[in-house]
Amino acid sequence: AWEKIGSQTLTEADDTFEISYEARTYLYVFGYFIPDGGINLHITFDEDNAVDNENYSMRRLFNGAYPANYGDLDYIEDIWNSIDSVVWFQAYVYNDSNNPKIMQIQSTANNSVGDSNIPNRAYTVGKWQDTTQSTKLRFADGEATNFDIGTNITIMGTNGD
């Protein structure tokens, strides 16, 4: 059965957002990021967030465009292009202790005000090469801005039983 294994809400603006959780094989991560400026969302697992570690790979479709493929990365990048509105985020993570971690992400961001401005969306799949079972997700803003007060992430987990 699914159970809530982690949740956090920012009480002050910060350019990183970390959330620890109990190890589970299957994770459902959801919430929203409130920008203080533009957001370029960088996602890493545990303490594997060093520059030039190149332990991540990903494929992303942004607003239905042709998929972009990237390997040897320092993070999984979801929303990009300095999105400056709230980003709704959900992800499924296969967090098996004997395999690389795989992540499927869907996110949506508001666009400019007006009925002709369609929301932005991203569909991203990513992989972390490490085979240990993760117990922490780290979200960093790749811009020189912060996630604002009220940003929230919740994690549900199960071992498939």
Side-chain angles (χ1 to χ4, degrees):
W2 289 94
E3 61 182 313
K4 184 176 176 179
I5 58 174
S7 186
Q8 185 173 339
T9 301
L10 281 182
T11 57
E12 60 182 59
D14 202 340
D15 64 347
T16 59
F17 184 85
E18 296 181 346
I19 183 166
S20 297
Y21 47 88
E22 301 171 27
R24 295 288 192 278
T25 304
Y26 305 98
L27 305 175
Y28 175 56
V29 184
F30 61 96
Y32 50 90
F33 297 93
I34 303 170
D36 180 15
I39 291 179
N40 277 3
L41 189 57
H42 297 175
I43 305 163
T44 56
F45 289 90
D46 295 335
E47 301 301 324
D48 193 3
N49 56 18
V51 174
D52 297 327
N53 65 13
E54 299 180 345
N55 289 329
Y56 298 89
S57 57
M58 60 174 269
R59 172 175 292 144
R60 177 184 55 226
L61 288 109
F62 188 71
N63 286 334
Y66 190 78
N69 304 307
Y70 305 94
D72 300 323
L73 299 172
D74 299 333
Y75 49 80
I76 297 168
E77 183 178 56
D78 182 42
I79 289 289
W80 55 285
N81 281 351
S82 300
I83 298 295
D84 61 357
S85 63
V86 172
V87 175
W88 296 95
F89 175 93
Q90 65 177 347
Y92 296 95
V93 180
Y94 180 58
N95 188 30
D96 184 64
S97 59
N98 298 312
N99 292 292
K101 307 307 149 262
I102 56 173
M103 180 178 234
Q104 174 185 321
I105 306 164
Q106 296 179 32
S107 51
T108 305
N110 200 1
N111 202 337
S112 304
V113 176
D115 60 2
S116 63
N117 293 316
I118 301 166
N120 290 301
R121 69 189 190 286
Y123 177 78
T124 305
V125 292
K127 181 170 68 171
W128 178 41
Q129 306 303 327
D130 197 285
T131 56
T132 59
Q133 197 165 36
S134 170
T135 57
K136 181 166 66 171
L137 277 173
R138 180 177 188 267
F139 301 91
D141 188 352
E143 294 291 312
T145 60
N146 290 324
F147 301 119
D148 212 350
I149 296 168
T151 292
N152 174 273
I153 289 292
T154 298
I155 300 178
M156 306 290 288
T158 185
N159 285 321
D161 43 6

